[in-house]
Amino acid sequence: MTKHGRRISLKTRGFLGRLVAVFAGAVMLLTNVPAVNADNADKRDRITESAEKVCQWQRDKMGISQDESIFSGDFLQNAGKGSSDWLAIGISRFGFEEDYEAYLTALSQRVKALSDTDNATEWQRCAITASAMGGDPADLGGIDLVKGGVYGRDENNSVGKQGLNGWIFALLTLDTMGYKTPEGAEFDRERILDKIVSSQNTDGGFSLSKGESDIDITAMALQAIAPYYNDFSRDDVRKSVDKAVEYLSGKQDSSGTFGSAEADSQVVIALCSLGIDPEADNRFVKSSDLLTALLSYQNSDGGFSHEKGGDSDELATGQALCALAAQKRFELTMRRIYDMREELSVLQREKLDGINGRLSDISDEESAEKALKLFNDLDCDERTYVRYGAELENAAEKYSLTLSDRAFTVELAQTDHGNGCVYSIEKTEIYKGKKGFTKSDRNKLEALRKNGVTSGDCTATAVLLVHAKADESLSDRDKIISELEEMNAKANELYSEISDLNSIISRELYPVDSVGKDKKELLEKTAERIKKLPESERKKVTSADEIIKEAEDKNVTVYVISAAAVLCAVGVFTVVRKKGKKCVR
């Protein structure tokens, strides 16, 4: 296929077969994914081509070859920091061959720095990313991101402290793997869903906080509540979704865009999450369809710009790649982009395609009864992927048929722990992971041996350690593992020391030239700790040179003052003594 780290060429495959053009028609071959017609094949090729250009843009930006993984070098240093995470999620949801273990390892390093005071969305984004990389966000290096970002918070540090997006991503986090929340938790699935729905504005849109509706926030709200649309016991959710879709349709301009690549991306993800085709639904086809409008933001270098004609931007590109993955998954009847559970089976997809076909063609009571029977036989998870629930509900009401209720907020809470599924769309199989300790890994190890370990090598040494442990055929494996463990420990020790010094300086010793006498001892101890660091590491400490100089100056000042005081005391004693002698006489 390809070497590890190369982007793979996605080929169109069918649900039950692959299309092979042999003459004017097509022959169906048995495979794992949905069969498609020629028109859909062209659409998917367009999506694939755009996604591959994004990967090439990132490689060009990093200056790496096709044989190297995007998840390496400086890109790993930004794991857990916004735009890099969105790009990583987009890559994962296509199932491109990348080093997901490396990104997950880098992310586990990043989350060690998270605290209860960080915004809930920081925890939530890291949780979603961990799932996308094949990890368990409820136990990422011993840290429970689900608890930290959702149910472990209290009213003083609410998931919604920064706005509605905290509530939105809390629900998305829970639904990545169907996480349960403990009984009595302040923030459970039911409360979060209720809060999102009740926050809708009268125009149908949603806003970050009270105020004018926002396209991006409205689309994100739809992404979160989409799985609950077919819960027929929640009429409020259905009405909320319908109003929000109408609001978005009205905000789309005549050319098909919502004004930026990010806004278009969020709406594409929202519609695909709801089972609405951004390329074909009349509500979102103006002079062009929404997907075409999004692709118009892609530059010749492969990246996407925030505004048309602007420079390629990492955040815009990452979100656009997520939207492309959402569209492709929608067309192949695969899981939503933020649903990281094991991929739907061939039989499940076939069943869903069958019922969606029947629901779109209800014409009389008999066809309604058949469709209803199929729907009632579905479990809760499968029901979330039925695309014409509204038609079914209308038909049930029209013909006085009974829809069986399922408690979605209860049944979708399935687990306390679970690893996300990385699924290769091209290979139609679960991604097998990186193989072995590569030549590139050996070169990195040699560089560490030659140059020494720094505080910036925490991630690099951790990734190499993971690769070495996974390669049972590695020569001198035990020796290399031991060496890397020592390197990783040293890197983390340096990183922790520098982080602690910077924390002390920012809290207690800044600005340096205004440090009072009461902080003299702390200043001296801090200066001594800085001096013990290697010269290259001192530069990473805030105001290191100023701290050392200030500590030395204060010592000189104290010495001078002390010396002057001694001289003064001697002088006074001499005067007194002379006066005493004079009196005796």
Side-chain angles (χ1 to χ4, degrees):
M1 173 60 181
T2 57
K3 293 182 180 179
H4 172 76
R6 296 186 66 175
R7 48 190 179 94
I8 59 178
S9 174
L10 295 176
K11 301 174 183 177
T12 303
R13 296 195 179 185
F15 194 160
L16 297 174
R18 179 190 301 171
L19 292 179
V20 181
V22 291
F23 45 92
V27 177
M28 302 302 297
L29 299 177
L30 186 62
T31 69
N32 253 355
V33 291
V36 296
N37 58 35
D39 289 340
N40 278 340
D42 290 340
K43 290 178 184 177
R44 288 174 191 154
D45 286 342
R46 177 169 69 152
I47 294 169
T48 298
E49 181 181 357
S50 176
E52 290 183 333
K53 286 180 179 178
V54 166
C55 292
Q56 186 58 50
W57 170 78
Q58 184 61 37
R59 278 192 167 78
D60 291 343
K61 195 160 71 114
M62 294 171 65
I64 62 174
S65 70
Q66 294 291 328
D67 292 327
E68 296 177 87
S69 174
I70 290 174
F71 297 164
S72 61
D74 291 341
F75 192 80
L76 289 183
Q77 299 299 326
N78 292 319
K81 298 181 181 178
S83 56
S84 293
D85 285 349
W86 297 125
L87 192 65
I89 291 169
I91 289 172
S92 165
R93 299 311 275 161
F94 269 102
F96 290 162
E97 288 191 17
E98 293 292 345
D99 195 346
Y100 298 103
E101 296 89 346
Y103 201 91
L104 190 63
T105 302
L107 188 64
S108 68
Q109 297 287 320
R110 159 75 177 103
V111 301
K112 291 177 183 177
L114 289 176
S115 70
D116 293 341
T117 58
D118 284 310
N119 287 334
T121 51
E122 288 293 308
W123 289 79
Q124 294 156 3
R125 190 192 64 252
C126 288
I128 293 170
T129 306
S131 283
M133 298 301 108
D136 179 5
D139 184 11
L140 183 60
I143 296 174
D144 190 338
L145 295 169
V146 181
K147 179 180 179 181
V150 188
Y151 66 80
R153 292 182 168 256
D154 57 29
E155 295 298 341
N156 293 326
N157 201 18
S158 165
V159 296
K161 189 174 182 179
Q162 70 192 98
L164 188 63
N165 57 342
W167 295 94
I168 290 169
F169 281 95
L171 190 54
L172 287 172
T173 296
L174 290 179
D175 287 339
T176 54
M177 295 300 299
Y179 287 108
K180 300 174 184 176
T181 55
E183 187 175 349
E186 292 282 356
F187 302 99
D188 61 15
R189 190 176 263 96
E190 191 84 33
R191 181 186 176 187
I192 295 168
L193 178 60
D194 289 344
K195 176 62 178 179
I196 297 172
V197 172
S198 65
S199 298
Q200 189 167 30
N201 295 329
T202 55
D203 63 0
F206 291 82
S207 53
L208 184 63
S209 54
K210 292 181 179 179
E212 186 177 351
S213 294
D214 177 82
I215 291 169
D216 293 63
I217 295 296
T218 301
M220 292 175 189
L222 285 175
Q223 294 165 24
I225 65 178
Y228 303 89
Y229 186 75
N230 289 331
D231 183 348
F232 295 110
S233 68
R234 294 295 303 254
D235 191 51
D236 59 334
V237 174
R238 302 175 67 73
K239 287 180 178 178
S240 177
V241 168
D242 291 342
K243 284 177 63 179
V245 169
E246 184 179 353
Y247 164 82
L248 288 175
S249 178
K251 290 296 180 180
Q252 189 180 22
D253 73 20
S254 59
S255 69
T257 184
F258 285 90
S260 71
E262 294 92 329
D264 285 7
S265 297
Q266 293 303 330
V267 178
V268 167
I269 295 171
L271 296 181
C272 290
S273 298
L274 288 164
I276 298 172
D277 190 348
E279 290 185 289
D281 192 284
N282 290 332
R283 291 168 293 182
F284 295 93
V285 177
K286 305 303 194 282
S287 63
S288 73
D289 62 80
L290 178 55
L291 184 66
T292 299
L294 170 60
L295 291 174
S296 69
Y297 287 90
Q298 189 166 30
N299 293 324
S300 58
D301 63 3
F304 282 74
S305 58
H306 170 67
E307 297 178 329
K308 290 181 182 180
D311 293 335
S312 293
D313 175 82
E314 193 168 88
L315 181 60
T317 303
Q319 293 192 10
L321 186 61
C322 286
L324 294 172
Q327 178 75 31
K328 190 165 189 69
R329 287 178 155 272
F330 163 79
E331 292 179 350
L332 293 174
T333 318
M334 297 176 71
R335 289 200 180 277
R336 297 178 185 87
I337 189 164
Y338 298 130
D339 184 349
M340 313 296 182
R341 293 172 296 169
E342 183 178 353
E343 193 51 66
L344 295 170
S345 69
V346 172
L347 291 178
Q348 284 177 308
R349 297 183 202 177
E350 185 179 34
K351 183 164 56 175
L352 287 168
D353 280 349
I355 190 172
N356 284 328
R358 284 187 177 275
L359 288 174
S360 65
D361 194 33
I362 294 177
S363 57
D364 53 29
E365 185 172 357
E366 182 181 0
S367 59
E369 285 180 343
K370 289 180 179 179
L372 182 67
K373 185 180 184 308
L374 288 173
F375 181 83
N376 284 341
D377 288 341
L378 297 177
D379 63 31
C380 192
D381 176 27
E382 292 168 335
R383 288 188 182 198
T384 69
Y385 285 93
V386 171
R387 297 176 180 176
Y388 299 95
E391 284 81 351
L392 181 60
E393 186 179 38
N394 293 335
E397 184 176 346
K398 180 178 179 180
Y399 299 112
S400 300
L401 303 174
T402 302
L403 281 169
S404 65
D405 287 336
R406 305 295 290 259
F408 277 41
T409 55
V410 175
E411 292 191 44
L412 291 179
Q414 301 171 338
T415 186
D416 295 312
H417 288 280
N419 291 75
C421 176
V422 181
Y423 187 87
S424 170
I425 293 177
E426 197 279 335
K427 288 186 175 181
T428 65
E429 65 182 16
I430 295 173
Y431 179 68
K432 296 297 193 300
K434 186 179 185 297
K435 297 178 181 178
F437 196 76
T438 65
K439 182 179 179 180
S440 175
D441 289 334
R442 287 187 176 279
N443 291 338
K444 291 173 184 176
L445 177 57
E446 286 302 322
L448 288 168
R449 287 169 174 166
K450 179 180 178 182
N451 302 322
V453 175
T454 72
S455 60
D457 292 321
C458 297
T459 298
T461 53
V463 169
L464 290 176
L465 189 55
V466 169
H467 291 173
K469 288 181 176 179
D471 191 347
E472 296 183 0
S473 64
L474 176 64
S475 60
D476 295 328
R477 180 170 175 264
D478 291 342
K479 180 181 177 182
I480 289 174
I481 288 173
S482 178
E483 183 180 12
L484 284 170
E485 285 175 340
E486 290 180 11
M487 288 180 170
N488 183 248
K490 182 177 180 181
N492 278 293
E493 183 181 347
L494 285 169
Y495 180 84
S496 296
E497 177 68 355
I498 292 170
S499 297
D500 189 46
L501 285 169
N502 283 330
S503 177
I504 290 171
I505 293 167
S506 64
R507 289 195 326 265
E508 306 287 348
L509 301 176
Y510 195 83
V512 178
D513 56 5
S514 300
V515 175
K517 293 180 181 178
D518 59 322
K519 299 287 179 69
K520 174 180 172 294
E521 184 178 353
L522 178 62
L523 181 70
E524 290 174 352
K525 288 182 177 179
T526 303
E528 287 304 312
R529 288 173 65 182
I530 293 173
K531 288 178 183 179
K532 290 178 181 179
L533 291 171
E535 192 66 36
S536 60
E537 296 297 301
R538 291 186 191 180
K539 299 174 183 178
K540 301 173 185 178
V541 178
T542 303
S543 305
D545 292 339
E546 290 86 342
I547 292 285
I548 294 171
K549 185 176 184 300
E550 190 69 18
E552 291 172 348
D553 287 348
K554 285 198 181 302
N555 280 332
V556 170
T557 301
V558 170
Y559 173 78
V560 171
I561 291 174
S562 298
V566 170
L567 290 173
C568 182
V570 170
V572 169
F573 174 76
T574 302
V575 170
V576 170
R577 188 167 180 272
K578 286 181 179 180
K579 285 184 178 179
K581 286 182 179 180
K582 203 172 184 178
C583 291
V584 172
R585 284 180 184 173

